[in-house]
Amino acid sequence: MQLLYSNILPLGTNENQSTIIDCFHEQLSKADRVDIAVGYTSNASIIELDSLIQQYGLRHICLTIGMYYIEGMPESAYHTAMKLNRKWQSAGIGEIRIVKSFKYHGKLYCFYKDGRPISAIFGSANLGAIKLEATNRRQYEISALTTEAAEATEIASHIEHLNQASCSANIADITEMPLIRETNTSLNGVELVTSVPQSNVDFYKRCKAYVSFFLQLKVPSAAEKHMDDGKHYTKSNINVCYAAPRSKRKARDWYETQLTVGADIYHMTGYPEKNKPFFVVTDDGYWFKAHTTSDNNKQFSAVGDELIMGRWLKGRLATAGIVTPVNNTLEDTDREGMITQEMLQEYGSNRLLFKKTGQTALDEDGTPLDVWMLSFTGNDDEER
């Protein structure tokens, strides 16, 4: 057995000690298969694991995660895990499993070569140890490496039992695991936007809806995202950033969004009047002023900053790990940053719930404005 350490000052490693990360890489380089069972992961560590599988040319990978079925899984890690599970299964190299029978807090890494276990790492290190981030860079872990055949075989047998249907299931077959919504930071520090306490959000959620509307998000399918005739939504709505730039040299900001409301909605009684401002409180705790504009007041936008709505809406998708913000939309020729129907399906909602709360708040000049609530939640969870 060989002890493995974190390299964190003042408890740094010396020349005779190995780090957990270095040992993990070394064992991967000798193996053609790895089975991993841990309590927790992170979004970055799952992505790193996929990269290492490709780097070292492994033929098989099984990642089993033990604590999330009961405690809930961070949404970004969940969506990334779902994507990689589909990728690994499609390639025939493995899967991601979730322990469902109990909380599993073990941390085991078993390495195989030519069908037999050759080594294993065990100890305190969850998967996050293979990808250091700000959240775990100062978190000290200690583990051990065994190359004893009997010990590696025993660990392999334990993971195999854990992967039986009585203990765990493929993540795609898990339907009751709660997801933990993560904080959308895209609006942090943005002028004209303030954060409100969760107690305020809960108050407005409880308010009876004087009137409410579902605002459908019009986006193309993945197959349609390169089609530039107007009906495929590349020139308007939340993908307006892919429309022709306002100047030849300057790309549109990826967060630029036009929330276009259908005639079936803006003609309904109670829909906000054109150019009459109101306050919006979002279901994740942001507060800003908004209005309806354009012909038949079909455009729904924040007052004073055309990026606010996009930072809220697209920021939610980015925080969930479903899309990556694009720095230059002109260079995104594959339109990886274009929001599609498939992305909204993965997120669990393709519409917004817009509810008049019956409450008012004073504008900066003392004018009372209506307060509306805007929610971007699962279609099955919304209440009118």
Side-chain angles (χ1 to χ4, degrees):
M1 183 185 75
Q2 175 188 359
L3 283 180
L4 308 173
Y5 305 87
S6 295
N7 187 16
I8 301 176
L9 295 176
L11 201 58
T13 56
N14 60 43
E15 60 182 11
N16 298 317
Q17 296 175 332
S18 296
T19 65
I20 297 169
I21 292 178
D22 287 345
C23 182
F24 183 72
H25 280 256
E26 181 183 4
Q27 297 309 306
L28 284 180
S29 70
K30 299 176 180 178
D32 56 22
R33 166 185 170 183
V34 60
D35 286 355
I36 300 172
V38 293
Y40 300 98
T41 64
S42 66
N43 188 44
S45 66
I46 300 174
I47 295 172
E48 177 72 3
L49 179 60
D50 179 59
S51 175
L52 294 177
I53 296 306
Q54 299 177 59
Q55 177 182 334
Y56 291 106
L58 271 69
R59 297 199 298 264
H60 179 85
I61 169 67
C62 182
L63 170 62
T64 304
I65 310 171
M67 298 294 286
Y68 291 142
Y69 185 79
I70 296 173
E71 292 187 355
M73 187 170 186
E75 59 179 348
S76 60
Y78 171 78
H79 290 299
T80 298
M82 286 288 286
K83 290 177 184 177
L84 293 184
N85 181 65
R86 290 192 295 268
K87 176 182 176 180
W88 294 349
Q89 286 192 311
S90 178
I93 65 169
E95 63 174 332
I96 297 177
R97 300 181 67 82
I98 300 292
V99 177
K100 58 182 182 178
S101 300
F102 42 74
K103 288 184 177 183
Y104 182 81
H105 204 242
K107 293 95 175 175
L108 301 174
Y109 304 79
C110 190
F111 304 89
Y112 291 73
K113 183 70 174 181
D114 298 328
R116 65 181 183 87
I118 58 172
S119 63
I121 295 174
F122 57 95
S124 71
N126 279 301
L127 191 67
I130 72 169
K131 183 65 174 179
L132 297 181
E133 303 176 86
T135 56
N136 68 346
R137 188 167 294 276
R138 295 292 297 172
Q139 180 172 308
Y140 198 98
E141 307 289 356
I142 192 162
S143 295
L145 169 70
T146 179
T147 56
E148 292 291 330
E151 294 176 347
T153 299
E154 184 174 358
I155 290 173
S157 177
H158 172 78
I159 296 176
E160 287 174 3
H161 282 96
L162 185 66
N163 288 341
Q164 292 178 355
S166 58
C167 292
S168 63
N170 183 274
I171 190 171
D173 297 326
I174 298 293
T175 58
E176 298 177 354
M177 181 171 63
L179 294 186
I180 300 172
R181 296 290 186 190
E182 298 174 76
T183 302
N184 170 22
T185 60
S186 300
L187 284 170
N188 287 3
V190 174
E191 191 178 3
L192 306 178
V193 179
T194 57
S195 297
V196 297
Q198 184 61 43
S199 58
N200 290 31
V201 176
D202 293 340
F203 167 75
Y204 288 114
K205 283 183 178 179
R206 292 193 301 267
C207 288
K208 178 182 178 181
Y210 276 58
V211 65
S212 62
F213 308 93
F214 283 127
L215 309 182
Q216 196 73 26
L217 300 176
K218 303 172 185 178
V219 297
S221 67
E224 296 173 323
K225 67 181 182 179
H226 289 284
M227 301 175 69
D228 283 326
D229 56 3
K231 68 180 181 180
H232 289 287
Y233 317 117
T234 58
K235 293 182 172 64
S236 65
N237 216 276
I238 65 176
N239 289 313
V240 71
C241 60
Y242 288 95
R246 292 187 175 89
S247 65
K248 293 183 179 180
R249 296 183 179 181
K250 186 175 182 181
R252 288 176 181 254
D253 193 295
W254 183 75
Y255 287 108
E256 184 179 343
T257 296
Q258 291 178 359
L259 189 57
T260 306
V261 179
D264 57 329
I265 298 297
Y266 62 67
H267 282 149
M268 292 178 67
T269 301
Y271 190 74
E273 299 176 23
K274 180 178 179 180
N275 291 325
K276 184 177 180 180
F278 50 88
F279 285 117
V280 163
V281 58
T282 68
D283 60 336
D284 55 346
Y286 289 106
W287 177 281
F288 53 87
K289 195 188 303 183
H291 58 178
T292 62
T293 62
S294 191
D295 296 339
N296 297 311
N297 62 343
K298 66 181 181 181
Q299 298 292 346
F300 178 17
S301 61
V303 174
D305 187 345
E306 63 185 7
L307 301 184
I308 287 176
M309 195 66 72
R311 286 186 175 278
W312 175 70
L313 197 156
K314 289 186 176 181
R316 292 278 285 269
L317 298 175
T319 300
I322 292 172
V323 66
T324 300
V326 171
N327 291 327
N328 189 322
T329 53
L330 288 178
E331 295 177 355
D332 184 22
T333 55
D334 291 333
R335 294 185 171 177
E336 295 295 329
M338 180 171 283
I339 309 304
T340 64
Q341 294 171 11
E342 289 81 359
M343 289 179 182
L344 297 181
Q345 181 178 6
E346 185 177 0
Y347 184 72
S349 183
N350 60 7
R351 61 190 182 182
L352 308 177
L353 176 61
F354 185 42
K355 180 184 83 170
K356 188 175 183 180
T357 66
Q359 305 296 315
T360 62
L362 295 181
D363 197 1
E364 55 190 13
D365 63 359
T367 304
L369 302 182
D370 290 329
V371 177
W372 290 71
M373 186 159 203
L374 194 59
S375 302
F376 188 19
T377 54
N379 293 339
D380 295 335
D381 298 329
E382 291 167 332
E383 296 183 0
R384 298 195 67 170

